[in-house]
Amino acid sequence: MTANPDTATDAYDLVIVSNRLPVDRVVDESGEASWRPSPGGLVAALEPMMRSQDGIWIGWAGVADEEIEPFEAGDINIRPVMLTEQDLQEYYEGFSNDTLWPLYHDVIAQPSYHREWWETYVKVNRRFADAAAEVAAQGAVVWVHDYQLQLVPAMLREVRPDLVIGFFNHIPFPPYGIYSQLPWRRQIIDGLLGADVIGFQRVADAGNFSRAVRRLKGYETRGPIIEVPIDTDDPASGSHRHVTTDRRGGLVRTVLARAFPISIDADQYQDLARRPEIQARAREIRQELGNPQTVMLGVDRLDYTKGIGHRLKAFGELLAEGRLNAEEVTLVQVASPSRERVETYRQLRDEIELTVGRINGDYGSLGHTAVAYLHHGYPREEMVALYLAADVMLVTALRDGMNLVAKEYVATRIDEDGVLVLSEFTGASDELRQALLINPHDIEGLKETILQAVAMPKRDRTRRMRALRRKVLTNDVARWSASFLDALTRSAHGDHPLQNPPVNRR
């Protein structure tokens, strides 16, 4: 891989690299294609900075086997990366989502290890790294996102040591005892250590990563700082940033690995919640549900990490025991489609729909269903109306990097009402301590917490929601992106502040 930023036709000071582009292709009735912004919060957070810093976004366009020329969508410069159908099967559906995803989520499902998947993962990561190297200006900031692209930082550093490279892992990083199962564990660590700053959702995730570095590479760590030895025989060794010496006098490059908990565009959710038509829609939703005394809501991708089955089990048992009445309490479960070409996900959908059917068959009536199950996605406006309509929000994830749904619910509740039941295995639980925290594996405990949420007095609901809203409104997605880019900028000047408590050595 070679790249010369001085001869590039277009060179950019900020390069964002992610598996998917921030735009979706839309084909109208006449067959003409156009691009519209994706609804993700990451786009909203980074778009202003990309405009001000002359940025470009690199990613896959969502269409297999099609070469798409660079283009501009709105105010964002776009550089598509082509993926073949085989790439999708082996790099994305295979290694990313049937190897890394279950492994990083505490092996809730069994990971699959296939050498051909790994080989394709390496090849595709190289393709993304090539694209970034070609368009990055001298000394540019390159911010790589998520588990699909963990090899890109080192691949970039190999040919462009002038770049300031950041990586953010949106999902958990597992404890060493789990991570060590990965046959390519050292290669992934090497790939990530190509970055100057590595961001994680939780302090525990950053600690897991540093521990893996010590066990697998033997490198020294000082709190969030990792000392990566430099090969002095490498011609590019003099180009490395923030070079220092270790306690033995050897040259090392320092890498910052710490938590940067992601958030949402809280103001946008507040503004939507204030719109009269959305408030009217919230009232209409309750009417369509038969005006129950309590509406409980679950909003998830249909994924085995989300604990949907645990939630349904607890709710079904409460109905069976007569502690909840299906005429008085309704559970709305939104389960948006996810990775439907992966067999594990197809099986999960069958299991969830069978459970919903059993609960409704046992406790529903002609005019009322106990569980309103919705297997499709909704626009943001409809989601805000659902949040406003829900008295209790159930987030029962078995493992989640953050879970932004919890924060969306809190930001939407401008009435300072509603109760958030939140799994302690989500990153959000580190911040949202005034939620009712639960262990979703403890079905009896989950049942008791659901009853507590349903019966909570208005005064207690308001007190808790006010505290939750202060946290979400203060730590929004703009603050998240600014803090990460600030750490990267400081890294460019060799400044690695120890902003987290030291990670214990073991």
Side-chain angles (χ1 to χ4, degrees), residues 105 168-173 200-205 259-263 305-306 395-407 420 422-433 435 437-438 471-472 475:
H105 287 85
F168 187 78
N169 196 53
H170 291 257
I171 69 173
F173 194 90
F200 299 91
Q201 299 281 25
R202 310 179 77 171
V203 172
D205 296 327
F260 296 85
I262 198 171
S263 193
T305 64
K306 302 301 183 181
V395 178
T396 58
L398 308 180
R399 191 76 164 92
D400 218 333
M402 178 52 64
N403 194 285
L404 296 179
V405 164
K407 295 187 175 184
L420 174 62
L422 179 61
S423 167
E424 63 190 58
F425 303 122
T426 64
S429 69
D430 290 350
E431 302 172 84
L432 305 183
R433 306 303 295 178
L437 299 180
I438 52 99
K471 181 66 71 171
V472 171
N475 298 321

Side-chain angles (χ1 to χ4, degrees), residues 196-275:
D196 298 295
V197 177
I198 309 170
F200 299 91
Q201 299 281 25
R202 310 179 77 171
V203 172
D205 296 327
N208 288 341
F209 176 75
S210 293
R211 196 166 295 115
V213 170
R214 292 195 298 273
R215 294 287 296 272
L216 293 171
K217 305 297 294 184
Y219 297 165
E220 290 289 323
T221 62
R222 295 179 289 109
I225 301 298
I226 299 171
E227 298 179 347
V228 181
I230 293 176
D231 181 4
T232 54
D233 292 331
D234 181 356
S237 62
S239 304
H240 289 299
R241 298 179 180 278
H242 35 85
V243 175
T244 184
T245 56
D246 63 15
R247 60 185 179 181
R248 292 180 295 272
L251 285 180
V252 294
R253 180 175 62 86
T254 56
V255 175
L256 175 68
R258 74 168 182 87
F260 296 85
I262 198 171
S263 193
I264 62 168
D265 185 350
D267 286 341
Q268 182 183 64
Y269 281 90
Q270 286 197 120
D271 293 344
L272 288 170
R274 293 190 180 101
R275 283 166 48 175

